[in-house]
């Protein structure tokens, strides 16, 4: 086993429970893998969530432990995306990256703590009328903001079209960046031609030529790690599609690496650090809707225990 690699576990308290498959978790648990070079530890993070990652903590640890015994780059492609993301994160250097804008997340019309130019709104859980009322309220409260609507594939094609028509009637369609995963039947996506859409859980390379596709949402721990992000970004550039990076409730170590990958011209879905009661390292600085990437490797100082 190389002395230049190590594995640590962590368990961090949350300010509010994280709902995962009908279970509310008051702690965020995961692993850090460290790669030591030039007497500095570089860390990557793997924190699986049920319903998002089809791998549990035990198997993530097995993959990480197998890697530090035989750190062969040719093996990376055979590992789960979350393990690959952690390992690759620890192998890359840090650089002086620009601030990255993020979208806010709204589930109601409460006043937001920070000013966001882009707001993601969860819709589809209430009636179309209630969703329209919420969007109207937020539009008045945030006159400079645009909106990303996310029904999580709960709508039918007819409901999506009805919703868009209703937005047009109240002159709010120009405030909408896109509707994310707009229909519950992916085969209907090609029938959407005039409504701007984005794909997250329904993402597939076969949909990249959809005329209405404006953005794809990429989670590095789900879509192939650091190298997977770079492949999706290349396809996005070739198709003139925005590649929006999204977190799976990582700490500042995981978010810090994602920020290094993010295109600073786009608003990204990385505003999840506010869930933590305490971070694993010095928290990433946020000013309004900007996150400032670390330019040196973050070092864990809280709640970690060495495992290997």
């Amino acid at each position: 086993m190389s002395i230049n690699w190590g594995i640590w576990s962590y368990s961090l308290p949350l300010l509010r429970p994280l709902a995962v498959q009908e279970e509310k978790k008051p702690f965020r648990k995961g692993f850090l893998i460290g790669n030591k070079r030039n007497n500095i530890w570089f860390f990557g993070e793997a924190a699986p969530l049920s319903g998002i990652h089809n791998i549990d903590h035990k198997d993530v640890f097995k993959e990480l432990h197998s890697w530090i015994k035989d750190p062969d780059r040719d093996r990376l492609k055979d590992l789960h995306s979350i393990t690959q993301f952690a390992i690759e994160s620890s192998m890359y250097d840090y650089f002086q990256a620009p601030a990255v804008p993020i979208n806010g997340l709204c589930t109601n019309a409460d006043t937001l703590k920070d000013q966001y130019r882009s707001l993601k709104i969860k819709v589809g859980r209430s009636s179309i009328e209630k969703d329209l009322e919420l969007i109207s309220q937020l539009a008045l409260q945030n006159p400079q903001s645009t909106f990303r609507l996310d029904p999580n594939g709960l709508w039918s094609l007819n409901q999506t079209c009805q919703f868009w028509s209703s937005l047009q009637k109240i002159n709010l369609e120009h405030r909408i960046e896109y509707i994310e995963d707009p229909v519950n039947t992916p085969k209907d996506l090609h029938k959407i031609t005039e409504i701007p859409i984005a794909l997250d859980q329904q993402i597939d390379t076969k949909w990249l030529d959809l005329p209405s596709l404006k953005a794809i949402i990429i989670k590095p721990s789900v879509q192939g790690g650091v190298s997977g992000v770079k492949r999706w970004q290349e396809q996005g550039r070739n198709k003139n599609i925005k590649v929006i990076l999204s977190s799976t409730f990582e700490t500042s170590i995981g978010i810090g690496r994602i920020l290094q990958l993010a295109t600073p011209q786009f608003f990204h879905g990385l505003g999840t650090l506010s869930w933590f009661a305490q971070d694993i390292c010095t928290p990433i600085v946020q000013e309004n809707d900007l996150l400032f990437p670390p330019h040196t490797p973050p070092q864990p100082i809280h709640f970690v225990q060495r495992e290997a």
Side-chain angles (χ1 to χ4, degrees):
M1 186 180 301
S2 172
I3 61 173
N4 294 321
W5 290 92
I7 302 172
W8 292 258
S9 63
Y10 70 79
S11 179
L12 292 173
L14 299 173
L15 289 173
R16 52 191 183 276
L18 184 61
V20 179
Q21 290 191 334
E22 300 183 359
E23 181 182 355
K24 293 187 176 181
K25 298 181 179 293
F27 291 88
R28 189 75 176 98
K29 297 181 179 181
F31 297 101
L32 302 179
I33 184 168
N35 175 222
K36 190 176 184 180
R37 50 190 189 273
N38 298 323
N39 290 319
I40 300 174
W41 282 101
F42 292 75
F43 292 94
E45 180 177 357
L49 282 175
S50 301
I52 296 179
H53 307 102
N54 58 345
I55 187 171
D56 60 20
H57 285 75
K58 181 180 178 181
D59 287 333
V60 166
F61 180 78
K62 284 182 179 179
E63 288 196 348
L64 292 173
H65 195 259
S66 172
W67 170 265
I68 67 174
K69 290 192 293 184
D70 180 22
D72 181 354
R73 284 179 179 265
D74 290 337
R75 296 177 54 231
L76 280 173
K77 64 182 183 300
D78 299 322
L79 301 176
H80 189 282
S81 286
I82 194 171
T83 314
Q84 188 175 349
F85 173 57
I87 293 169
E88 288 182 317
S89 293
S90 71
M91 295 169 68
Y92 279 82
D93 290 333
Y94 282 76
F95 57 90
Q96 190 77 44
V100 174
I102 61 172
N103 62 246
L105 177 62
C106 290
T107 55
N108 54 55
D110 292 341
T111 302
L112 294 169
K113 177 182 176 182
D114 297 298
Q115 184 63 47
Y116 291 92
R117 289 166 288 174
S118 176
L119 292 173
K120 181 173 180 175
I121 307 172
K122 292 288 188 178
V123 294
R125 292 152 184 79
S126 301
S127 66
I128 285 180
E129 290 73 23
K130 287 187 177 180
D131 284 336
L132 288 169
E133 181 181 347
L134 172 61
I135 295 167
S136 297
Q137 286 181 282
L138 289 169
L140 287 173
Q141 293 173 1
N142 304 273
Q144 305 304 316
S145 300
T146 56
F147 304 118
R148 299 170 169 183
L149 309 182
D150 183 11
N152 274 120
L154 293 174
W155 286 338
S156 66
L157 176 62
N158 183 61
Q159 287 174 309
T160 300
C161 294
Q162 179 186 349
F163 184 84
W164 188 254
S165 177
S166 298
L167 279 174
Q168 291 176 316
K169 290 177 182 177
I170 56 177
N171 296 316
L172 284 179
E173 77 280 3
H174 64 284
R175 301 281 298 274
I176 308 303
E177 293 181 53
Y178 53 70
I179 301 178
E180 182 178 323
D181 290 344
V183 290
N184 51 21
T185 306
K187 67 180 182 180
D188 286 336
L189 286 170
H190 75 279
K191 299 176 183 177
I192 301 174
T193 58
E194 298 182 1
I195 302 172
I197 66 172
L199 298 180
D200 178 7
Q201 297 177 42
Q202 297 174 347
I203 190 171
D204 192 301
T205 53
K206 68 182 179 182
W207 300 124
L208 293 183
D209 289 319
L210 290 172
S212 56
L213 184 62
K214 304 302 179 185
I216 52 177
I217 318 301
I218 299 298
K219 296 177 174 66
S221 64
V222 176
Q223 272 99 16
V226 173
S227 54
V229 168
K230 293 183 176 182
R231 288 192 296 270
W232 282 108
Q233 287 174 326
E234 182 179 4
Q235 292 190 76
R237 286 191 295 270
N238 292 338
K239 302 286 187 180
N240 196 28
I241 297 168
K242 293 180 180 180
V243 177
I244 309 300
L245 301 189
S246 178
S247 75
T248 52
F249 290 90
E250 290 90 353
T251 70
S252 280
I253 286 181
I255 296 293
R257 175 53 70 192
I258 298 174
L259 288 171
Q260 292 263 320
L261 297 168
T263 303
Q265 289 78 21
F266 306 149
F267 292 89
H268 296 271
L270 302 174
T272 53
L273 290 173
S274 61
W275 284 69
F276 289 91
Q278 190 163 8
D279 210 329
I280 203 169
C281 60
T282 301
I284 288 172
V285 175
Q286 178 174 348
E287 293 182 7
N288 290 319
D289 63 355
L290 293 176
L291 288 181
F292 291 82
H295 58 273
T296 58
Q299 301 297 305
I301 55 177
H302 298 294
F303 303 102
V304 293
Q305 176 177 323
R306 186 146 190 177
E307 303 289 349

